[in-house]
Amino acid sequence: MDAILGSLIILVMSLAVEAEMKNGFYSTSCPKAEAIVRSTVESHFKTDPTIAAGLLRLQFHDCFVQGCDGSILITGSSAERNAAANIGLRGFEVIDDAKSQIEAICPGIVSCADIVVFAARDAVVLNDGPGWAVAAGRRDGRISLSSEASSLPAPLDSVSVQRQKFAAKGLDDHDLVTLVGAHTIGQTDCRFFSYRLYNFTSSGQPDPTINAAFLPQLQALCPKNGDGLKKVALDKDSPAKFDVSFFKNVRDGNGVLESDQRLWEDPATQTEVKNYAGTFRGFLGYRFEFEFPKAMNKLSSIEVKAGTAGEIRKVCSKFN
């Protein structure tokens, strides 16, 4: 009951804020803002294509703590980005680059929070994913605490825990599975899943849900007592393309993170995975392309500061 009430409160607050946000929010005050973010993301992507997944993850981690308010961008020993759950976050330099260019022509107009959301959308497009209109008008928050990052989903989370964390933000099972689909272009470190390969639940054996043909491939990538920081693609088949193969991997026991593979064990989330994985590749692929933008817009509306709340930072990494 508390979770339902919390979700309703978030929904009401989100609807009130959305009334102050709109597509083309900067069309008059800073008409080049979105184009500058897009060209900046493209520039960094040409040098390092893996930055796209980093920018997408950055929005997710920002919105799940204090809402979509740029709190993840603040530096400092007790700031959000220093939390254990945010280890390995990337893309800060892209946001800073875009912000400095925008400040040069439109000082004090465009929030860092909006830049994060624009950049995530542009990153998906660069990986052959869908584009979508982003309602803007978010303002930057004045709080960033690493102690609040416990609300973020984690690689070891069961589906019930993932469900609770998403529901607390007004997101349902459909949103959960759809947003986790972002892992189609993601990477992770060996240290976050190697326990599944050698000593699952302290059994001295691998996780039995890992496909028998996939296990030796993962063990070769992440040898026992090997480099825990080595990067591994979360989608073994098309890691640079935004598509539905991630869901096919989960269906077939080829999920890398435990939290991803568990989606196949819960009846409700399994149904969602099946709907995306399917057999009619083209049709269902387009369905994911249709659903993902809707889920991202829902995510980007979480606990947004608008109107006179918060501030418009001059530099994204520090409060004014």
Side-chain angles (χ1 to χ4, degrees):
M1 185 63 73
D2 288 345
I4 294 172
L5 181 61
S7 296
L8 286 173
I9 291 171
I10 289 171
L11 178 62
V12 171
M13 290 171 62
S14 295
L15 290 173
V17 167
E18 282 173 22
E20 300 182 54
M21 293 170 56
K22 62 180 181 180
N23 296 340
F25 183 85
Y26 298 110
S27 58
T28 302
S29 59
C30 190
K32 293 183 179 179
E34 290 193 53
I36 289 172
V37 175
R38 187 178 309 114
S39 64
T40 304
V41 173
E42 287 174 353
S43 174
H44 286 266
F45 179 82
K46 286 176 182 175
T47 306
D48 176 16
T50 66
I51 200 66
L55 290 167
L56 186 51
R57 186 171 178 233
L58 201 59
Q59 179 187 327
F60 190 93
H61 282 240
D62 184 35
C63 292
F64 249 73
V65 184
Q66 283 286 335
C68 309
D69 67 346
S71 55
I72 192 64
L73 307 173
I74 296 295
T75 54
S77 58
S78 63
E80 205 176 296
R81 69 197 271 184
N82 282 334
N86 290 321
I87 290 173
L89 275 185
R90 304 172 58 223
F92 298 104
E93 72 284 0
V94 183
I95 307 301
D96 290 340
D97 187 357
K99 176 64 170 175
S100 63
Q101 293 180 58
I102 290 171
E103 281 296 298
I105 59 170
C106 311
I109 300 293
V110 181
S111 70
C112 299
D114 278 341
I115 293 173
V116 168
V117 178
F118 291 148
R121 183 263 317 270
D122 298 336
V124 171
V125 172
L126 287 170
N127 277 105
D128 299 324
W132 60 91
V134 171
R138 296 165 194 79
R139 288 170 66 86
D140 299 320
R142 295 194 179 101
I143 298 170
S144 181
L145 297 169
S146 59
S147 58
E148 296 188 351
S150 59
S151 60
L152 283 162
L156 275 68
D157 284 350
S158 64
V159 172
S160 62
V161 171
Q162 293 181 66
R163 180 178 284 125
Q164 288 168 4
K165 289 180 176 179
F166 275 74
K169 302 300 176 185
L171 302 169
D172 58 24
D173 281 354
H174 180 66
D175 301 317
L176 189 168
V177 174
T178 303
L179 290 168
V180 171
H183 287 171
T184 180
I185 58 169
Q187 291 182 310
T188 192
D189 297 353
C190 288
R191 60 181 165 163
F192 294 128
F193 68 91
S194 59
Y195 67 94
R196 297 185 69 208
L197 311 182
Y198 305 103
N199 191 27
F200 186 64
T201 62
S202 302
S203 64
Q205 300 296 319
D207 183 341
T209 64
I210 300 177
N211 187 305
F214 189 42
L215 179 62
Q217 295 176 37
L218 287 176
Q219 290 175 329
L221 290 168
C222 300
K224 201 169 188 176
N225 303 318
D227 181 6
L229 298 178
K230 184 179 179 183
K231 300 288 183 189
V232 175
L234 291 171
D235 177 354
K236 71 181 184 66
D237 297 318
S238 54
K241 188 175 174 61
F242 201 90
D243 58 19
V244 295
S245 71
F246 167 80
F247 298 107
K248 297 176 188 292
N249 288 334
V250 171
R251 177 195 65 193
D252 298 336
N254 295 326
V256 176
L257 294 176
E258 181 180 354
S259 56
D260 289 349
Q261 192 56 52
R262 297 296 162 254
L263 296 175
W264 189 250
E265 296 176 5
D266 179 276
T269 53
Q270 184 185 100
T271 297
E272 297 288 343
V273 172
K274 280 181 178 175
N275 285 339
Y276 288 134
T279 51
F280 305 103
R281 180 179 299 182
F283 173 72
L284 289 172
Y286 282 122
R287 184 173 173 196
F288 177 52
E289 291 191 0
F290 176 68
E291 295 297 321
F292 189 76
K294 291 197 295 184
M296 285 295 284
N297 277 329
K298 198 170 173 182
L299 172 71
S300 68
S301 299
I302 294 174
E303 299 165 40
V304 166
K305 284 90 178 162
T308 57
E311 63 185 17
I312 303 295
R313 283 183 219 141
K314 296 181 176 67
V315 177
C316 289
S317 60
K318 58 185 181 181
F319 303 121
N320 288 348

